[in-house]
Structure formats: structure tokens, C-alpha cells
Amino acid sequence: MNLYNYVKRRNGVPLGHGKSLQNMLYRSLGSGTFAGFWRYWNPIWSFYLGKYIYKPLKSFLPSSLSLLITFAACGFMHDLAIIALKNKFILLLTPWFLLMGFLVLITKISQFNYSKYPWIVRALINITFIFGSLLLVYQIR
């Protein structure tokens, strides 16, 4: 699948469409699982993470380990941007994304599904996972 079709599948509208951001936010925040949140969040970025990190790793590693490494790599790429801007070695986003990867696995294994709740409750649960894990990593750091 190419990037254009991937984005259209995730957002429901083609790449560059005026409602792309709105659809991404609505679908990701309103997802009934934390894994589902990531299925819809930033489809352009996830297309390349999947193509160049997750799928190659999955060819020789278990999918759960491939997922964790992909989340850590994503966090590290974000950290590299901060390191370049601040000219200082800071790793905050790598452990944060790694923790969110663990949350994806834990919620999948436990089959934690909140899709029966209204959109606003699902959004609050997803936001809590995201910012709660950031707060935890920030406190530990």
C-alpha cells in the first residue's frame, strides 16, 4: 500500500484534504482502545514507521518486541529534534514513547476496550494514557 492510500484508509479522506487533521483527531481520540488511538494518529508518520522500522523488525522479532522498539525509535527521533534545537542531550520522549508502547501491549493483552462509552469519555481515556505516561516519565526523570 502506498502513502496516499494508507492516509485515505486511516483518515477517510485523501492526503492533503482539508478535513484530514479534523478526521485524524476525531478518529484517534475517539478510539475505543489505546492501540486504536495509534492506528489513527499521524498516519503519514506511522506509514513510514511501519514500513521502515516495524515491518523489518517483525520479520525476525516477535511483534510485541518490534512494537516496543518502534515506539522507542519514534521517541528517539523526536528527541533528536529537541537535541538539535537545544544543542543539549535530553532523552525524555524516548522513554515516554516506550512507556506508551508498553501501555498499548498491556491494554491489548488485558483486552481493555472502552468503545461502548461516548466519544468524550473515550477521548479523555486516551488523553489520560498519553499525558499520564508523560507525567510518570517526567517524574522519574
Side-chain angles (χ1 to χ4, degrees):
M1 178 179 299
N2 63 25
L3 176 63
Y4 181 86
N5 291 330
Y6 184 87
V7 170
K8 187 172 182 182
R9 186 169 144 193
R10 295 292 187 237
N11 276 350
V13 294
L15 185 65
H17 190 278
K19 291 199 173 209
S20 201
L21 177 62
Q22 176 184 341
N23 285 12
M24 179 196 73
L25 290 170
Y26 185 81
R27 288 175 175 210
S28 59
L29 290 172
S31 179
T33 64
F34 196 49
F37 170 87
W38 291 106
R39 191 173 302 113
Y40 295 109
W41 184 256
N42 199 343
I44 296 170
W45 188 247
S46 65
F47 174 81
Y48 289 108
L49 286 171
K51 183 175 182 174
Y52 293 110
I53 299 176
Y54 179 74
K55 284 181 185 174
L57 287 172
K58 200 173 114 174
S59 69
F60 64 93
L61 291 173
S63 59
S64 56
L65 184 56
S66 300
L67 181 102
L68 291 175
I69 294 170
T70 302
F71 266 85
C74 179
F76 185 67
M77 286 184 255
H78 283 77
D79 275 331
L80 285 176
I82 294 170
I83 291 166
L85 287 172
K86 292 194 170 217
N87 201 24
K88 182 178 176 184
F89 188 78
I90 300 170
L91 284 182
L92 173 64
L93 303 181
T94 303
W96 177 34
F97 276 65
L98 182 59
L99 178 56
M100 287 192 291
F102 274 111
L103 286 172
V104 167
L105 292 177
I106 291 165
T107 56
K108 269 185 163 180
I109 291 166
S110 67
Q111 298 179 348
F112 183 55
N113 186 308
Y114 36 97
S115 58
K116 65 182 176 185
Y117 296 107
W119 184 92
I120 190 69
V121 174
R122 296 189 311 263
L124 288 171
I125 292 169
N126 286 316
I127 290 168
T128 299
F129 276 131
I130 294 162
F131 288 105
S133 59
L134 175 60
L135 183 62
L136 180 63
V137 168
Y138 190 75
Q139 291 299 318
I140 292 170
R141 196 181 140 234

